[in-house]
Amino acid sequence: MTAFQVEPMPIEGSFSNPTALHTLALAIAGMSLMIACAGLVSYLIDDNVRAESLEHLRRMALNDMLTGLPNRMNFNERLDLEIELARQRKSRLALVGIDLNRFKEINDLRGHHAGDEVLRILGRRMSNLLREGEFVARVGGDEFVAIYRLEEQAGLIDFLSRLEAALYKPVRLDNYQVTPGASFGVAIYPDDASSKVILVNNADLAMYRAKADLMHSVCFYEPAMDETVRARRNLAADLREALGRDQLSVHYQVQTSLSTGEIRGYEVLLRWEHPRRGFIPPAEFIPLAEEDGVILQIGEWVLREACAKAVSWKPPHMVAVNVSAVQFAHADLPGLVTNVLMQTGLAPERLELELTESAIFVDRERSLQTLRQIKALGVSIALDDFGTGYSSLDTLRSFPFDRIKLDQSFVGDAVSSPQDRPIIRAVLTLGKSLGIPVLAEGIETPDQLALLIEEGCDEAQGFLFGRPVPLSQILGSGQIALTGNDHERLGVVPS
Ligand code: C2E
Ligand code: MG
Ligand code: MG
């Protein structure tokens, strides 16, 4: 505010009208007072707004905006305090790691908006169930964590069952409902851990165990879990070295056309011969490689190896390479495929990539674009293990697949189980109506083969036609010959 001075105004050279001057002076004084008051009021309002903003910022810093629950920072501070309290009182506390079971699926199938709504509802449910000495925070996408001051075990069990009830109660969204479910991992301070870091780590270990356990949603930490994790980490480290040490190789399994009986191609299946443990099945090491990230290098190696070998096959059969969901999500697959095809000289029409639905669901838009780019190169795409995952009709409708691979679990029991045959028939009908050939996996017996031929299946693969074997064995059998000098390099005598 600018200071100002009030002086009586000279009228006609003298102060001839004192009443008017008095009134004027009073009016000016009144105005000045109003201005001063307005200044004071606005200052007070400013101060309130400032305090509100600060409170808002503080809330933002300590709470998750979506659910209103405390956030990771808040949780960290609270856990420090609770551990200190337990230490002073010589009492115990339980840390509960919570991970939603079906959140990814809700997000993928119903969209992020529905995902957010589910998180908001679950956040509200959890915050409403809390009592004295109980705390819940959201620490990641669908990860929550709870702290419970542990006086007696029965109280903890009651707390866990309240949490379980809140997360397993169905959530209604517009015209459908979902049951998110969750896995809970519990670690106790100080019984299971002497420090905060170890406590958090152990609750996490227990939570992962709960996730893998289909029978129990709650799992308490046990020291043996450390051993399992350590063993997995060691194996992942061995796997990282396996590539450079020539421990990886590929086997080939024949794929046959049922209408002509001719070979249509070979699926490439990775093999790892561990120096101490011998052959480790892909079902064990592929998930490990995905967790570790080394799948990117391994996947590239398999693709290169498969294309480099197939280029000199005679006749020029197709070669089918499995692509992991992680590889599909992270690597520039169209770029890699282009590069490998160029370097090896394999015709794109001879390469097929096998993908599972889980690879596509991560980001449908991006997946569709990637698949189109790969198809534009002339490479085909097969949908692997159909029937085991989402088996969504929408996937089949929206993606340009060249082949559906019916999972072996349906073929295995088809002859004896009355339920599996209608499923096989339905998938074959679906393939026919969409114009996509269906290849049945895992054919082991002539009965299974007869059934599939009767149902009009297009192609098949399984032990009945041939087990996965090294290339040298296929060359030895005469199914494939090599052009150029490749048989000499492989040490195989063509038959
Ligand atoms: P998949 O792609 O569905 O491969 C077929 C699996 O079924 C192979 O198991 C094969 O050996 C097995 N199989 C074939 N015919 C029969 C049969 O008649 N009966 C039975 N019981 N099994 C049969 P394998 O080689 O153990 O591979 C398992 C899975 O590991 C593969 O399933 C695939 O998902 C993955 N995998 C293998 N190699 C690679 C790879 O190079 N990259 C990636 N990302 N995954 C791979
Ligand atoms: Mg496959
Ligand atoms: Mg398969």
Side-chain angles (χ1 to χ4, degrees), residues 252-302:
Y252 295 82
Q253 188 178 31
V254 69
Q255 298 180 328
T256 308
S257 158
L258 292 183
S259 52
T260 63
E262 283 173 5
I263 293 173
R264 77 160 285 269
Y266 292 85
E267 177 172 4
V268 177
L269 294 158
L270 185 59
R271 296 292 176 258
W272 177 21
E273 190 173 4
H274 190 276
R276 289 183 307 283
R277 292 184 45 189
F279 278 104
I280 298 179
E284 189 178 334
F285 74 80
I286 295 282
L288 204 62
E290 288 177 330
E291 252 171 54
D292 182 85
V294 71
I295 191 71
L296 299 183
Q297 287 99 288
I298 291 180
E300 179 172 345
W301 178 83
V302 174

Side-chain angles (χ1 to χ4, degrees), residues 253 267 270-271 282 322 324 384-385 408 441-442 444 462-463 468:
Q253 188 178 31
E267 177 172 4
L270 185 59
R271 296 292 176 258
N322 290 286
S324 131
D384 205 354
D385 303 343
Q408 60 188 53
E441 299 186 80
E444 293 181 353
F463 295 166

